[in-house]
Amino acid sequence: MKNILFAFVLIGLSVSAFAQSGPPAGDAKVGEFYGQDVSAKAIKKAISPDELNKELKSTPKIAKTSVKGKVTGVCPKKGCWVSLATDSGDTFFVKMKDYAFFVPTALEGKTVVLEGSAESKTTSVKELQHYAEDAKKSQAEIDAIKEPKTETRFLASAIKVVE
């Protein structure tokens, strides 16, 4: 009986140690990075989200690339996704590879370089509504999402604040 009780206590402590109640704290200052550090070479070679979108028209997936852009949104629940501005006014959606790291909401408005992979993907209505809910959109805005959306998806292994 003691062993069973001890096992439940260990499981409870493990779960609470890994649970995250919100985005990490931090000011997202220039030079700070999340996930892995972004190499100087990747920073120098970084392209804009619009350039990446053009590349994805000729190939459905790019295994390793770096992109530079201004953060327009951060998941307010956990910091598990960000969006970047594009020249065309669309958003460029970024998730963290393997859900391995999170970013502070202070990243919004900062210019970052991302390292990772990209692909053109169609996102279901259900998933779009989930992201809208995470972003604390109104119920009317969530209910207005009725069509899937084909967009560029970026899976970041590293994010570094550069401006």
Side-chain angles (χ1 to χ4, degrees), residues 54-106:
K54 286 177 190 171
E55 287 185 23
L56 284 170
K57 289 190 187 313
S58 61
T59 182
K61 188 170 185 169
I62 299 170
K64 188 169 183 176
T65 189
S66 57
V67 174
K68 182 178 180 180
K70 186 172 186 171
V71 177
T72 58
V74 175
C75 174
K77 274 183 127 173
K78 288 189 177 187
C80 59
W81 56 259
V82 300
S83 58
L84 298 183
T86 65
D87 293 337
S88 60
D90 291 331
T91 56
F92 180 79
F93 192 77
V94 180
K95 290 175 88 170
M96 296 10 158
K97 184 177 183 188
D98 299 328
Y99 215 54
F101 63 95
F102 303 98
V103 298
T105 55

Side-chain angles (χ1 to χ4, degrees), residues 16-146:
S16 66
F18 290 106
Q20 184 170 332
S21 61
D27 296 327
K29 294 180 181 173
V30 172
E32 290 185 4
F33 63 90
Y34 307 93
Q36 302 169 11
D37 195 0
V38 177
S39 69
K41 183 178 178 182
I43 292 170
K44 187 175 181 179
K45 294 177 101 179
I47 59 176
S48 72
D50 290 300
E51 289 172 297
L52 179 63
N53 286 336
K54 286 177 190 171
E55 287 185 23
L56 284 170
K57 289 190 187 313
S58 61
T59 182
K61 188 170 185 169
I62 299 170
K64 188 169 183 176
T65 189
S66 57
V67 174
K68 182 178 180 180
K70 186 172 186 171
V71 177
T72 58
V74 175
C75 174
K77 274 183 127 173
K78 288 189 177 187
C80 59
W81 56 259
V82 300
S83 58
L84 298 183
T86 65
D87 293 337
S88 60
D90 291 331
T91 56
F92 180 79
F93 192 77
V94 180
K95 290 175 88 170
M96 296 10 158
K97 184 177 183 188
D98 299 328
Y99 215 54
F101 63 95
F102 303 98
V103 298
T105 55
L107 199 63
E108 192 166 334
K110 309 288 176 127
T111 299
V112 298
V113 172
L114 315 166
E115 241 182 328
S117 62
E119 68 181 323
S120 183
K121 181 183 177 206
T122 301
T123 307
S124 70
V125 170
K126 185 176 179 179
E127 190 174 356
L128 289 168
Q129 289 174 333
H130 171 77
Y131 295 135
E133 190 176 300
D134 280 356
K136 299 185 179 182
K137 301 284 184 184
S138 70
Q139 190 59 49
E141 290 173 295
I142 294 168
D143 292 342
I145 300 169
K146 305 243 186 251

Side-chain angles (χ1 to χ4, degrees), residues 146-162:
K146 305 243 186 251
E147 297 289 325
K149 183 177 179 183
T150 300
E151 59 191 346
T152 297
R153 284 293 183 101
F154 196 92
L155 196 57
S157 57
I159 300 175
K160 187 168 192 168
V161 182
V162 294

